[in-house]
Amino acid sequence: MTTALAAPVHGGLRNAAGDALTLIGRCIRLTRRDADTLVMSIVLPLLMMMLFVFVFGGAITTGGAYIDYVVPGIVLLCTGYGAASTAMSVAADTESGMVDRLRSLPIPGWTVLTGHVVASVTRNALSTAVVVTAAVLMGFRPDAGPGEWLLAVGLLLLYVLALSWSAAGLGVLASSVESASAFSFAMLFLPYLSSAFVPTESMPAVLQAVADHQPITPVIETVRGLLTGTPIGDAGWVALGWCTGLLAAAATFASWAFRRTTRD
Amino acid sequence: MIVEAVGLVKTYGGRRVLDGVDLHVPEGSVLALLGPNGAGKTTTVRVLSTLTRPDGGSARIAGHDVVRDPVGVRAAISLTGQFAAVDDRQTGRENLVMLGRLAHLGRARARQRAGELLERFDLGDAAHRRVGEWSGGMRRRLDLAMSLISAPRVVFLDEPTTGLDPASRATTWDAIGELVAAGTTLVLTTQYLEEADRLADRVVLIDAGRVSAEGTPDALKTQVGGERLVVHLLDPADRAAALSVLGSVGSSGADPHTVELPSDGSAEHLRQVLDRLHVADVRLTRVSAHRPTLDDVFLTLTARAPQPAPVPA
């Protein structure tokens, strides 16, 4: 019965695009059905936001409504944490043998990680939308026009894309799902060493130097400026440089990591 | 030869995991790679299925070189690893259709094949449930079904029944049997001699990265030693009489009620033995024939030569 049908044709751009779509669909379906992670990626930033706005916010002076100051930071924390969980999904696929199964198929290798990365960006776009909506309900009043919203969303997408590729590469190299979760922890912690929750001028000199020169601070300053009108200065260009640089490095790193396991 | 490997070498951190493995598998046959843990069975399968690059030697599958034309190889093969690589959060049908799409069958054909395979592997009733809720045996069957979605010419199975309960093992063996009957070439690794004996046309014994013996299961058993007859005596006191009529070939069995002798397995030889014992008035309870098992082969051929003693300083 199989001989009566034309043999399937492999290779080519059309097939590659189809393969990528199939694997993106797979990862999105898996994410959608992973209730724990999904709830966590929305509930955690919401709790953090409430904690900072209602508990600490009163004691932090930022020269304006604290909620307007903190929401961009919360959004960065939320997307960073969400993107980092990609490392765990990739590690789980490696551990279960799914990566080997996919690699023994006549599909291009890059589609395997692309599925995870695109699913990660989609998931984070949704959780960010939920968090921003909740923020507006809690009193967040952005004054951005459509152009500024577009720029902010674009920069955040670039940031999430860069982090997702880094996470995918780390997931390939991680020896287990547990060790891959370390990246999520780092992304949960790093925003504290930035201007996410308090202005960096309030930190001791050494910490301030770290906070001012790590990539999260310029991204936050830019998003905050675009949404609430605080001065951006050259943070915009610095943020763009960091994000594109990180994206290029991360994608190179991820494909190197993936190929390394192939050659091994 | 649909699978042809010559002198495969793979080194990990200075250790030669594969040390010159040659394999020749004719189309439509079943080859079992038998060997203890760490012998190089899995590495051999990974090299043949393009997952691992060999450091030396070459291999061709269905005419495609595993290093120069991996996509050509992948289009002709499927691989089922040691652990069931299935998505717990997808249903059985979703898992199969996904693999079918990735094998470029097209949507309609992928669905059709998924339906056929679910029935064939007796998974139809569970098809719409998430695989996370399935039993280990069902997951393994799905794993195997996923490998067959593209009707591959060569199927690699890495320890297909390790960790399965006897019922699931039997179902898996039946499925493998059907596959072979349909003309698929199969290369499987196993630690179970019974499995190799039951499924394989040829067995390659791998030990420490080398092929230490090769042949049909019967030929390997003969290599270790031919068939033996075990004669069970009614009265152990007759043993001396029995040994004297059997001549120099007879020997005492482990049990005082038995004597043993080599046999060519023919009815004629058995008749001669019984005649002689009858004439000598040795009464018997029964006669059994013992063929060496692959276990005997395994133990005999993988017993390493004693390591040279370290030179004293």
Side-chain angles (χ1 to χ4, degrees):
Chain A
M1 70 196 168
T2 37
T3 43
L5 286 146
V9 179
H10 306 291
L13 214 60
R14 233 183 113 90
N15 269 332
D19 298 338
L21 281 177
T22 303
L23 289 171
I24 290 167
R26 164 186 182 249
C27 291
I28 288 179
R29 184 181 290 155
L30 294 184
T31 307
R32 220 178 52 216
R33 293 181 185 174
D34 182 9
D36 297 353
T37 308
L38 210 57
V39 167
M40 219 16 210
S41 67
I42 292 175
V43 168
L44 188 79
L46 285 183
L47 284 178
M48 301 274 297
M49 185 156 62
M50 287 194 251
L51 189 70
F52 274 94
V53 172
F54 299 129
V55 181
F56 302 137
I60 303 172
T61 320
T62 54
Y66 183 64
I67 192 167
D68 290 338
Y69 181 86
V70 83
V71 166
I74 296 285
V75 165
L76 264 266
L77 183 127
C78 154
T79 52
Y81 177 72
S85 75
T86 306
M88 286 189 274
S89 342
V90 173
D93 271 3
T94 310
E95 215 169 56
S96 73
M98 189 50 95
V99 170
D100 280 347
R101 158 158 269 153
L102 296 176
R103 272 178 39 211
S104 72
L105 297 174
I107 61 172
W110 59 264
T111 57
V112 176
L113 292 185
T114 302
H116 282 284
V117 168
V118 175
S120 163
V121 173
T122 313
R123 182 180 68 234
N124 283 297
L126 286 175
S127 60
T128 304
V130 172
V131 168
V132 171
T133 309
V136 170
L137 293 176
M138 284 165 63
F140 176 52
R141 292 292 170 263
D143 63 0
E148 287 162 321
W149 272 108
L150 213 61
L151 282 176
V153 168
L155 181 63
L156 282 172
L157 280 178
L158 201 59
Y159 174 78
V160 172
L161 201 57
L163 279 182
S164 299
W165 274 112
S166 316
L170 289 170
V172 171
L173 294 185
S175 54
S176 67
V177 179
E178 287 73 28
S179 58
S181 70
F183 190 47
S184 297
F185 178 75
M187 290 318 299
L188 207 51
F189 175 74
L190 272 178
Y192 289 95
L193 282 180
S194 77
S195 64
F197 303 110
V198 295
T200 59
E201 299 88 66
S202 65
M203 298 178 184
V206 177
L207 278 188
Q208 190 190 345
V210 173
D212 281 341
H213 296 101
Q214 68 136 314
I216 297 180
T217 298
V219 177
I220 288 177
E221 290 303 317
T222 308
V223 173
R224 187 179 284 138
L226 288 169
L227 297 189
T228 65
T230 53
I232 296 176
D234 55 6
W237 294 111
V238 176
L240 192 64
W242 266 114
C243 287
T244 42
L246 272 179
L247 177 60
T252 312
F253 161 67
S255 53
W256 166 81
F258 195 78
R259 263 202 314 274
R260 200 191 81 135
T261 57
T262 322
R263 279 164 197 278
D264 226 22
Chain B
M1 293 295 147
I2 192 158
V3 176
E4 184 122 53
V6 181
L8 291 180
V9 172
K10 182 69 194 175
T11 313
Y12 284 116
R15 203 169 73 85
R16 284 201 153 207
V17 180
L18 297 185
D19 194 8
V21 169
D22 296 339
L23 292 176
H24 311 277
V25 187
E27 181 141 31
S29 71
V30 181
L31 177 80
L33 296 171
L34 186 62
N37 272 329
K41 305 185 298 286
T42 296
T43 310
T44 305
V45 165
R46 290 181 65 88
V47 168
L48 295 179
S49 55
T50 75
L51 293 185
T52 294
R53 277 169 87 97
D55 296 326
S58 66
R60 292 171 76 80
I61 315 285
H64 304 276
D65 188 283
V66 292
V67 176
R68 264 169 275 146
D69 183 13
V71 174
V73 173
R74 289 171 197 158
I77 65 158
S78 81
L79 168 70
T80 305
Q82 272 181 28
F83 307 101
V86 295
D87 278 333
D88 283 351
R89 292 198 298 274
Q90 293 203 77
T91 67
R93 193 180 299 278
E94 286 168 344
N95 267 292
L96 280 163
V97 171
M98 175 183 82
L99 260 277
R101 301 297 311 267
L102 293 174
H104 307 134
L105 296 183
R107 189 192 303 266
R109 179 98 185 101
R111 284 191 184 151
Q112 184 200 340
R113 280 287 292 166
E116 287 168 16
L117 287 164
L118 285 164
E119 289 310 315
R120 187 161 130 206
F121 283 83
D122 200 16
L123 296 168
D125 292 340
H128 62 282
R129 294 212 323 261
R130 290 189 194 176
V131 175
E133 304 166 14
W134 291 17
S135 72
M138 290 165 73
R139 292 160 58 89
R140 193 65 199 183
R141 263 141 58 202
L142 176 65
D143 194 33
L144 197 57
M146 283 163 78
S147 292
L148 305 183
I149 195 112
S150 60
R153 291 175 69 191
V154 184
V155 173
F156 292 98
L157 300 174
D158 197 2
E159 304 202 357
T161 64
T162 298
L164 287 193
D165 59 76
S168 293
R169 174 169 300 164
T171 317
T172 307
W173 280 351
D174 288 345
I176 292 174
E178 277 179 39
L179 195 63
V180 174
T184 310
T185 309
L186 201 66
V187 175
L188 63 98
T189 75
T190 182
Q191 300 184 48
Y192 300 119
L193 306 142
E194 188 196 354
E195 187 161 274
D197 209 0
R198 173 166 171 162
L199 297 174
D201 300 314
R202 289 180 70 76
V203 174
V204 164
L205 220 70
I206 294 198
D207 188 33
R210 290 168 187 268
V211 174
S212 62
E214 174 169 16
T216 62
D218 283 343
L220 283 178
K221 290 175 200 165
T222 309
Q223 196 178 330
V224 164
E227 195 164 328
R228 293 183 73 76
L229 282 181
V230 180
V231 179
H232 300 254
L233 309 170
L234 183 63
D235 182 354
D238 285 344
R239 187 140 95 164
L243 286 171
S244 77
V245 296
L246 293 174
S248 60
V249 295
S251 60
S252 309
D255 178 332
H257 282 270
T258 61
V259 292
E260 292 183 21
L261 71 160
S263 166
D264 59 4
S266 69
E268 182 55 29
H269 180 252
L270 178 61
R271 202 167 59 80
Q272 285 173 11
V273 170
L274 291 176
D275 280 351
R276 282 197 206 179
L277 290 167
H278 181 68
V279 169
D281 210 16
V282 174
R283 281 173 304 161
L284 312 177
T285 54
R286 61 193 179 94
V287 177
S288 55
H290 175 72
R291 288 202 31 76
T293 61
L294 276 177
D295 279 290
D296 298 326
V297 176
F298 194 67
L299 292 171
T300 310
L301 296 178
T302 62
R304 312 268 164 78
Q307 295 291 314
V311 181

